Amino acid sequence: MADVLPLTQKHAPEPLWREALGRSLRREREHQGGRLVDIAERAGISPQYLSEIERGRKEPSSEMIAAVTGALGIGLDDLLVGIATEVRQRRRTRPAAGSRPTGLVLMAA
């Protein structure tokens, strides 16, 4: 049987694309004062699906992203710049790899 080697990371893992996308879409919707139901209707999707996108639970297709950004009246370029900015900010403020977590920690079995 092979030896189990410890995972060594020099950097904390990057955020998931669907989570960064969801945060950006929610932030833009809230900035505009839009209700989830109204934006979902304009995008032609269910409010539940839009909520799952915003919470990072679903990874929408490019067509769905285009529908939501269209409903919000923003361009894909603005969305991507917002996501890139957030990722850069999180990279600067996240704890160093190997540091001990604080608060609630969930571990997989």
Side-chain angles (χ1 to χ4, degrees):
M1 187 178 272
D3 292 333
V4 177
L5 300 175
L7 177 63
T8 57
Q9 290 183 322
K10 295 185 184 234
H11 304 288
E14 292 292 326
L16 294 176
W17 159 251
R18 68 177 187 255
E19 293 172 349
L21 171 68
R23 281 190 297 269
S24 290
L25 290 172
R26 175 173 281 166
R27 185 171 36 253
E28 182 60 34
R29 178 180 59 79
E30 290 176 345
H31 174 74
Q32 293 181 12
R35 293 185 325 150
L36 191 115
V37 175
D38 297 331
I39 300 302
E41 183 177 333
R42 288 200 306 252
I45 62 176
S46 73
Q48 294 83 4
Y49 187 66
L50 179 55
S51 174
E52 290 179 328
I53 292 172
E54 287 186 350
R55 290 181 289 131
R57 303 286 187 246
K58 296 288 184 184
E59 186 141 7
S61 67
S62 58
E63 290 85 3
M64 287 294 151
I65 296 169
V68 175
T69 56
L72 289 168
I74 60 171
L76 183 58
D77 56 338
D78 292 330
L79 176 68
L80 295 175
V81 166
I83 292 170
T85 300
E86 177 189 337
V87 169
R88 281 189 201 108
Q89 289 171 345
R90 286 179 178 266
R91 185 176 288 150
R92 281 188 227 124
T93 60
R94 68 181 173 205
S99 64
R100 299 187 73 111
T102 60
L104 180 65
V105 177
L106 299 177
M107 300 185 72

